[in-house]
Amino acid sequence: MSDHRFDPSQADGRWQRAWEEAGTFTADSDSAKPKSYILEMFPYPSGRIHMGHVRNYTMGDVLARYQKMRGHEVLHPMGWDAFGMPAENAAMEKGVHPGEWTRANIAQMKAQLKRIGFALDWTREFATCDPEYYGHEQALFLDLYEAGLVYRKESTVNWDPVDMTVLANEQVIDGKGWRSGAEVEKRKLNQWFLKITEFADDLLEGLGSLEDWPEKVRLMQENWIGKSQGLEFSFDLSNGGKLPVYTTRPDTIFGASFCAIAADHPIAQGLGDDADVAAFIEQCKRGGTKAAEVETAEKLGYRTAITARHPFTGEALPVFIANFVLMEYGTGAVMGVPGHDSRDFEFATKYDLPIARVVASDPAQADAPFEGEAEAGDGVIVNSDFLNGMTVEAAKAAVIARAEAEGWGEGRTVWRLRDWGVSRQRYWGTPIPIIHSPDHGPVPVPRDQLPVVLPEDIDFSEPGNPLDRHPTWKHTTCPISGKPALRETDTLDTFVDSSWYFLRFASQPADKPFDPEEVAKWLPVKHYIGGVEHAILHLLYARFWTRALAHLGKIDVKEPFAALFTQGMVTHETYSRNDAARGVPVFFAPEEVRRNAEGVSLIADGEAVDVGRVIKMSKSKKNVVDPDAIIAKHGADAVRWFMLSDSPPERDLPWSDAGIEGCARFVQRLWRLFQAYDVEATGEDRALERKTHQTIAAVAADIEALGFNKAVARIYELTGATEKAAPSASRSAAIRALMHLVAPMMPHLAEEAYSAIGGGGLIADAPWPEVDPALLVDDEVTIALQHMGKLRDTVQAPKGASKEDLEALAMASANLQRSLGGAPIRKVIVVPDRLVNIVT
RNA sequence: GCGGGUGUGGCGGAAUGGUAGACGCCGGGGACUUAAAAUCCCCUGAGCUUUGCUCGUGCGGGUUCGAGUCCCGCCACCCGCACCA
């Protein structure tokens, strides 16, 4: 070793080529080794890799390289979630074809990923916009269709009345269309749905087996599926009709003071001839479809002339049309119990309806007043006839039993989970392989006509769905009658694309979506890593597809991801100035500002800028740092090391220039230490040997638990200890161990050093160092000496010393004796190898 | 609004109910150098009457010989909410 500095600008590329030429990371399905499938959520090809990707993929990369060192055959693939709205937006704004734009982005991002040196099997790469991929997806869609898991129904969308187009939730800003600024309306369209609810129970049940998923994600999915037991019953109406309602709180039925129905409920629609009712229903249509908007909107109601007869008291309850009742959930109608439901409370207060107490902390509190809000908690039932004195649970059962016995209602399980609407009125997605025949209705496209390929010649100059406007594409013939027919012009939700891509990575036959035998070899994924923002939708949909395919007998796994890890975001502080003229902040990028002793100033004019909070990197706040620039400056290993250091992986990682510079310094520091490797050195250093073996074991445990920041800290410690040690065989062994320990994290540096000492072959192919268990335990420990739990002294003791010996050592401490001050000792607590605590 | 999470020095964080602040960054002092960079060494939670003591893990209570950790009640911030991916 002669170079004084490690030069990533030439080493990075050299080793990346070496791995590629050797096929080091190409997964061999036929290998006899144990298999590990390591997967990170594949990226949307937005154009540039961002730090969030780098963090996500670095974590997966460390696991993949580590598992390989541990003798596993590793599958670590990469591909592109390539359909979606940004490509269409680019088409509208810049006049580029979505396909061209996407392909160019993929090429650019792939080159970026390669420069970071990830251990990826690029032979399995694909993009979801490849006709081959989405053709197989169409076949799977038809499989589900034929199995009765696909159907069509009306559903509400955000409608922009000016642009005459359907808007995504993110395109609705404050209830207005993002381009037109027009107030968005709710509109009904016929759309395709997947019957995810058919698997609701199984999806819920399956959560219990996912032990290596974060508890919080399982909880979120559980709440999302939202299994609830309740009562469905019908009110007799004053107009002779019936009103079926569903409630999860039948125990509070004596507290009901009104009924509320959705604006699109048949009864409400039936009253639509009345101008006031029609106007109110119109009003309810305004605003977007987002849950957060619907639920924070002011509760509005229209009191109809109809009343509902209470099944027990016979009282006539007013029936309202209300904007907070959703037709999609339950029966689209509720009984309002203001005392014990916060929405009902707000509504009753506004419309001056009675608020009765039917649950109290104890029977003596039966007439306690409410303190400005509903009480949804547990208690005993009061003011409720035959339910009085029961617990909430018992009363629920009693009401359901009574309703069933008397035949006016029955217990029912209701799910919050709704069927998955997969129709999108857009171009850049998988065409839904259905033909609408004038004689036979919707008919599947015959399998031999798949894939239904998107037309290339499209026009984005007008709003609306380009597929629908295309002059010829949708015109075809009915597969049954041969008569002219129209293609479905909706495309599939891009979540469908990401619901089975992990199966395609495991096997890529040309004639079918995947090979079940290959899938069986690799699945389930051993570690699946991605952002917590996917905790519910993507992960639930992927679990659903896997189940549905297992249900059809196509694969033999139900849960695709054995272990899930959700990593935090990469954040950065923001720099801004308030634009007085427009009253909004103007943001500056990190490279536009300079930080010095006085603070942060704009390079352009030298004047100060406001330093804002540390938040997620985003283009709109300009607080982004481009990985390419950083790699060019510091090398891939420094960036990878930064991604793993300091912050626990599940938490946010604040980017800082000082931090990356520290990492780059550490790369050089290790390089200097590696140069001190001396194969001929002799002599033992027991303490360093111990430290080395303890570190190897601890780093392995930390990596397996994804505690990368802790592994990094251990490596720093061993580095420091090794630097300080005098030359010896033990020191050379420590240096060699360090090369292997950092190999998954700083692979370029590790290869360079390994080759320089003549390690032989690639360190990427070398095994993880062995640990001598005898060296893992220390023979001396530090004992804390406490008085009343306060530290007074510490003392060294042999490991495993007896309680009596430890107590004697404690009593010999002058500091402890001074604290005791001769007070009588009431108790002595001795924790072996830890502490002695004297209680006086 | 509903669901989920997070909170420890100037900063990122560490800590099976048992020595709070490992490790890193920043900062201060020193060495080397004609000088700088690089590198190396030392210090670095606050306070005090400084052999040592007191306070200190978002806030207020509690359990315990002992609480960052367990329990109860708050506060602040972040994420998700079904057409962003």
Side-chain angles (χ1 to χ4, degrees), chain A residues 258-446:
Chain A
F258 65 95
C259 288
I261 60 176
D264 41 358
H265 192 280
I267 292 176
Q269 297 293 321
L271 298 171
D273 293 341
D274 182 315
D276 287 349
V277 173
F280 182 75
I281 291 174
E282 259 331 288
Q283 191 182 357
C284 289
K285 275 191 190 168
R286 274 184 230 144
T289 58
K290 276 184 222 176
E293 273 174 31
V294 172
E295 281 165 41
T296 49
E298 192 188 2
K299 310 275 175 287
L300 295 174
Y302 178 87
R303 186 170 186 150
T304 68
I306 303 170
T307 59
R309 187 178 176 279
H310 191 287
F312 289 119
T313 66
E315 197 184 336
L317 307 178
V319 175
F320 283 80
I321 303 169
N323 66 347
F324 66 91
V325 181
L326 301 175
M327 198 60 217
E328 280 85 20
Y329 187 76
T331 60
V334 299
M335 66 172 194
V337 184
H340 307 284
D341 179 282
S342 56
R343 285 180 313 185
D344 295 348
F345 190 95
E346 188 186 334
F347 191 80
T349 307
K350 183 171 169 113
Y351 292 99
D352 219 9
L353 298 161
I355 301 174
R357 174 181 289 280
V358 289
V359 180
S361 52
D362 68 82
Q365 300 293 312
D367 298 309
F370 290 96
E371 285 168 17
E373 59 180 1
E375 292 176 17
D378 214 348
V380 300
I381 306 297
V382 295
N383 303 325
S384 297
D385 193 355
F386 68 100
L387 301 175
N388 285 341
M390 289 186 190
T391 63
V392 165
E393 272 319 300
K396 283 181 183 173
V399 172
I400 291 170
R402 178 76 74 98
E404 287 178 348
E406 293 174 1
W408 51 268
E410 59 181 10
R412 197 180 139 194
T413 301
V414 166
W415 305 83
R416 207 187 77 98
L417 181 68
R418 307 200 296 262
D419 275 336
W420 175 12
V422 292
S423 282
R424 298 292 182 269
Q425 295 70 39
R426 296 184 219 294
Y427 166 76
W428 195 232
T430 300
I432 293 176
I434 296 285
I435 293 167
H436 295 281
S437 158
D439 305 320
H440 301 92
V443 180
V445 172

Side-chain angles (χ1 to χ4, degrees), chain A residues 473-592:
Chain A
W473 185 80
K474 68 178 171 184
H475 299 285
T476 183
T477 53
C478 168
I480 301 169
S481 65
K483 287 190 201 159
L486 293 178
R487 283 191 192 285
E488 172 63 61
T489 58
D490 283 358
T491 50
L492 288 172
D493 180 6
T494 57
F495 272 126
V496 175
D497 309 334
S498 53
S499 289
W500 69 283
Y501 76 107
F502 42 89
L503 301 174
R504 185 74 187 163
F505 275 144
S507 72
Q508 309 185 297
D511 58 337
K512 51 189 172 186
F514 46 79
D515 179 338
E517 283 181 29
E518 294 294 305
V519 168
K521 284 184 191 171
W522 292 108
L523 275 274
V525 173
K526 189 186 183 94
H527 286 288
Y528 192 40
I529 310 176
V532 71
E533 66 272 20
H534 294 293
I536 296 175
L537 295 181
H538 162 59
L539 288 165
L540 195 63
Y541 293 151
R543 292 181 64 222
F544 158 63
W545 268 76
T546 308
R547 269 179 167 65
L549 295 175
H551 176 73
L552 300 183
K554 293 188 171 290
I555 49 173
D556 207 21
V557 258
K558 277 171 88 179
E559 291 293 347
F561 314 120
L564 172 74
F565 190 83
T566 55
Q567 103 272 4
M569 300 177 298
V570 181
T571 57
H572 196 286
E573 59 188 8
T574 53
Y575 309 107
S576 65
R577 275 186 198 154
N578 207 50
D579 181 336
R582 292 189 299 148
V584 291
V586 180
F587 289 94
F588 302 104
E591 61 269 19
E592 293 179 273

Side-chain angles (χ1 to χ4, degrees), chain A residues 755-774:
Chain A
S755 114
I757 66 162
L762 294 166
I763 201 169
D765 288 321
W768 187 255
E770 295 284 335
V771 169
D772 179 354

Side-chain angles (χ1 to χ4, degrees), chain A residues 45-181:
Chain A
S46 56
R48 307 282 299 169
I49 291 291
H50 56 69
M51 281 298 173
H53 293 126
V54 178
R55 189 177 192 203
N56 189 177
Y57 303 150
T58 300
M59 289 179 195
D61 204 57
V62 171
L63 291 173
R65 287 174 179 271
Y66 171 79
Q67 292 295 348
K68 184 176 169 64
M69 292 175 85
R70 278 292 162 112
H72 286 223
E73 187 64 29
V74 174
L75 172 57
H76 187 215
M78 184 53 70
W80 310 95
D81 189 12
F83 276 136
M85 291 205 310
E88 295 199 11
N89 293 336
M92 281 179 251
E93 283 157 22
K94 298 175 198 145
V96 214
H97 188 278
E100 264 173 50
W101 184 83
T102 304
R103 293 282 162 203
N105 287 349
I106 288 174
Q108 184 163 213
M109 290 170 76
K110 184 175 176 180
Q112 286 186 291
L113 288 181
K114 289 202 164 190
R115 283 195 284 276
I116 310 172
F118 291 134
L120 291 165
D121 180 356
W122 285 105
T123 66
R124 296 174 187 245
E125 175 194 10
F126 61 80
T128 57
C129 64
D130 298 340
E132 185 183 300
Y133 182 84
Y134 70 74
H136 290 310
E137 184 166 303
Q138 289 167 339
L140 290 173
F141 178 87
L142 293 181
D143 289 337
L144 297 191
Y145 183 85
E146 281 154 18
L149 292 172
V150 180
Y151 68 102
R152 232 155 97 89
K153 74 166 182 190
E154 277 212 321
S155 165
T156 314
V157 295
N158 298 308
W159 180 257
D160 186 320
V162 171
D163 277 352
M164 306 287 279
T165 188
V166 176
L167 297 178
N169 277 341
E170 72 155 12
Q171 296 174 320
V172 180
I173 316 285
D174 295 332
K176 304 206 166 48
W178 67 336
R179 258 181 241 286
S180 67

Side-chain angles (χ1 to χ4, degrees), chain A residues 618-638:
Chain A
S618 79
K619 278 184 192 163
S620 63
K621 300 288 188 296
K622 281 190 144 186
N623 60 336
V624 289
V625 173
D626 182 40
D628 262 2
I630 303 295
I631 290 167
K633 192 169 173 193
H634 299 290
D637 290 337

